Amino acid sequence: MSYPYPANIVTICERLVDRIILGILGAPYRILSDGETMLLEDGVFYGDQERFPGAAAVCVEPADKDRTLQGVPNMTQNDFIIYILTYVQKVDQSVQDTRKDVDNLAYDIEHWLHQDLQLKDPLTSAPALIHGFVQRSESGLAVKNNTLYRASRMTFFGRNKTSLPVA
Amino acid sequence: MSSPFGDLPNLPRGKGKYGIRNYLQTPVGGAGPVGPSESSAAFRAPLRLSEIKASVYGGLRFNRVLYAGWAFSPTIGMVAKDINKLGLELENFLEPLNAAVAYMTESIRRNFEEQGRPERWEPLSDYAVKIRHSSEPILVRSGRLKEVATSFSIWTITPTSASIRALPSFVWYGTLHQEGYGSLRWVAKALLKSTGNPANVNPKNIEKVTKRLQAGTLHPTDLAKETRFVIPERPFVVFQEPEDLEAIQEIFVQWMEAKADAVGRNWNRL
């Protein structure tokens, strides 16, 4: 019998990428202040990137996995920290609008992720976490390929439990 | 906003869903600045045919893709409550809805007879042909599914709407044929359904997600297991566009004409 929760941070990150892509497909996106919809679907990546195909991008960067022993023999509690980085760079709008866009994008992603705290598999409904949520959201700047992007970094925290020889 | 001047004989038919909205925002024969009050109904201007057509085209809504969980997907239905009543004091649309359902029943029967419209259903697999000893007719073996799908009883008809929301449990397999099962397209639909918003499950998004699944940029865990058995989509309960939509709109137009005539508002009788 396979243990229900994955211990691999890659699985957790892939679920996050899937959820963000599906969220973006379904949302009437409001990233541009003039109401135009931005096609972000191709701008979602596993891991941070140096070049982006469009004016906005979302990267899911694995950061940390912490395993501690629990009372039951061989049982461990796994705490995952994953960064979700959002970038926006628009030359034809003011810095204020770009700042708002990136912060709105970050909040929307946070909102989509919080619709399912267990990061269930969309097909089988198998949960990946006991619970997971965005713990912190920081606004900032990032230079990518000599271009200054307005950015936001969200810290996603997830927790599950696995038995040691299995996962 | 005023009514259009003169009849509009060339008002395109079958365009209700696609652009012609109710431009008659004010009820015809409503109270003018010096005229009698609407409630008195002492005088009402005769209705023009164009007004009736516009009222029906703008207000009749067809739901072709109404995902209702696992019951039957897509369900189909039509909603008539938004039809501009043009002061005819219509409260229920049972009569035209029943006529529309009778029409749709025949349309569904033709789908079975022609084995898919407008495109033919995908042929049966070699295994299926071997099991049933024939390659045609597709989807008709005992005839039970066809009989149920073309029966009046599967429709839920209310005063303002008519819809098929589920098939009876003894023809449960009809749902699999209607929607398909196990293909990447089916997985794409399942992924989009998981977002919780039925509006996300539209052909454009299904196409995008299918491409992503092919490219491996989406990662549902049990993809291999979910796509092990594939039943192609063979939709038999569908509105054929534009013929079915036009025919149903015409049923409503004729019914409203008859109603206008009955209350003495026929445009030909001044």
Side-chain angles (χ1 to χ4, degrees):
Chain A
M1 179 188 162
S2 61
Y3 205 78
Y5 295 119
N8 191 346
I9 198 168
V10 174
T11 309
I12 310 290
C13 289
E14 284 182 340
R15 291 264 175 106
L16 287 173
V17 169
D18 286 7
R19 197 155 292 274
I20 292 168
I21 289 173
L22 291 172
I24 287 170
L25 280 175
Y29 210 68
R30 61 163 197 270
I31 193 163
L32 297 183
S33 308
D34 59 4
E36 189 187 336
T37 302
M38 172 169 270
L39 289 174
L40 243 183
E41 306 137 35
D42 297 325
V44 184
F45 302 96
Y46 183 103
D48 202 4
Q49 309 287 306
E50 271 306 305
R51 289 167 186 265
F52 303 122
V58 183
C59 300
V60 177
E61 175 81 4
D64 188 37
K65 182 174 92 177
D66 183 51
R67 209 192 265 268
T68 51
L69 274 172
Q70 290 291 286
V72 184
N74 298 340
M75 184 64 81
T76 61
Q77 175 174 287
N78 311 314
D79 289 344
F80 301 92
I81 297 289
I82 296 161
Y83 292 130
I84 300 165
L85 309 156
T86 53
Y87 302 99
V88 175
Q89 192 267 334
K90 286 282 294 172
V91 289
D92 58 345
Q93 70 177 19
S94 74
V95 171
Q96 291 184 76
D97 286 340
T98 309
R99 183 74 262 165
K100 276 187 209 166
D101 284 345
V102 73
D103 290 338
N104 275 329
L105 173 60
Y107 179 73
D108 283 345
I109 291 171
E110 183 180 342
H111 179 71
W112 296 328
L113 296 180
H114 287 173
Q115 302 310 303
D116 174 18
L117 301 183
Q118 297 184 305
L119 280 185
K120 292 193 193 82
D121 184 282
L123 295 180
T124 61
S125 297
L129 299 170
I130 295 167
H131 57 252
F133 51 89
V134 174
Q135 213 172 36
R136 169 185 281 234
S137 184
E138 300 159 272
S139 295
L141 301 165
V143 177
K144 295 283 177 186
N145 200 27
N146 292 326
T147 307
L148 182 67
Y149 281 82
R150 306 286 144 181
S152 174
R153 181 174 73 174
M154 284 182 286
T155 308
F156 181 87
F157 168 82
R159 172 172 288 170
N160 67 18
K161 293 187 181 188
T162 53
S163 184
L164 257 183
V166 182
Chain B
M1 189 177 184
S2 62
S3 303
F5 182 80
D7 199 355
L8 303 175
N10 293 327
L11 193 64
R13 303 205 165 203
K15 297 288 183 187
K17 174 85 178 169
Y18 312 105
I20 295 183
R21 303 299 306 165
N22 286 350
Y23 51 82
L24 298 168
Q25 299 299 318
T26 49
V28 176
V34 291
S37 70
E38 193 176 5
S39 59
S40 71
F43 169 76
R44 286 195 169 173
L47 285 171
R48 286 188 290 265
L49 178 59
S50 62
E51 293 170 339
I52 291 182
K53 285 177 189 169
S55 159
V56 170
Y57 293 168
L60 194 57
R61 194 170 79 237
F62 295 94
N63 293 326
R64 273 151 291 186
V65 186
L66 244 184
Y67 287 93
W70 283 100
F72 187 59
S73 167
T75 60
I76 66 168
M78 49 196 129
V79 180
K81 67 179 177 186
D82 295 332
I83 288 178
N84 189 329
K85 290 167 186 142
L86 300 172
L88 290 175
E89 293 168 14
L90 305 172
E91 284 180 357
N92 89 54
F93 299 91
L94 276 177
E95 197 181 321
L97 283 170
N98 275 311
V101 166
Y103 172 87
M104 275 310 296
T105 300
E106 279 310 305
S107 173
I108 293 168
R109 188 187 311 282
R110 272 189 65 199
N111 292 343
F112 277 96
E113 281 163 6
E114 295 182 22
Q115 300 186 49
R117 285 190 301 156
E119 287 168 19
R120 233 173 117 85
W121 294 324
E122 197 172 311
L124 294 173
S125 68
D126 293 342
Y127 180 74
V129 172
K130 190 178 162 191
I131 293 291
R132 53 179 267 170
H133 307 297
S134 65
S135 59
E136 286 185 350
I138 302 167
L139 295 198
V140 180
R141 194 176 175 196
S142 67
R144 198 164 49 173
L145 178 63
K146 181 181 173 185
E147 192 183 332
V148 170
T150 54
S151 71
F152 218 77
S153 59
I154 58 166
W155 288 83
T156 304
I157 303 174
T158 71
T160 54
S161 69
S163 60
I164 300 176
R165 298 216 159 255
L167 289 176
S169 57
F170 61 90
V171 287
W172 58 270
Y173 49 88
T175 307
L176 299 183
H177 291 304
Q178 172 81 10
E179 197 187 16
Y181 176 84
S183 61
L184 276 187
R185 196 177 151 74
W186 175 82
V187 172
K189 274 190 212 169
L191 289 177
L192 286 164
K193 278 184 203 172
S194 75
T195 61
N197 182 1
N200 292 351
V201 193
N202 56 56
K204 200 174 159 190
N205 277 351
I206 291 171
E207 198 62 37
K208 284 179 182 172
V209 174
T210 306
K211 279 184 183 163
R212 286 185 169 276
L213 287 166
Q214 282 167 340
T217 51
L218 281 173
H219 322 85
T221 48
D222 276 355
L223 187 60
K225 186 179 161 196
E226 295 291 339
T227 55
R228 194 183 304 164
F229 304 105
V230 177
I231 297 173
E233 267 180 77
R234 295 186 178 104
F236 50 92
V237 180
V238 281
F239 286 121
Q240 300 293 336
E241 292 188 44
E243 62 203 67
D244 286 354
L245 306 192
E246 285 177 359
I248 291 169
Q249 282 170 338
E250 194 55 35
I251 288 170
F252 273 81
V253 167
Q254 283 176 8
W255 175 73
M256 282 189 77
E257 282 174 22
K259 283 285 175 190
D261 196 18
V263 295
R265 299 190 65 197
N266 189 326
W267 55 92
N268 290 322
R269 196 196 301 162
L270 293 172

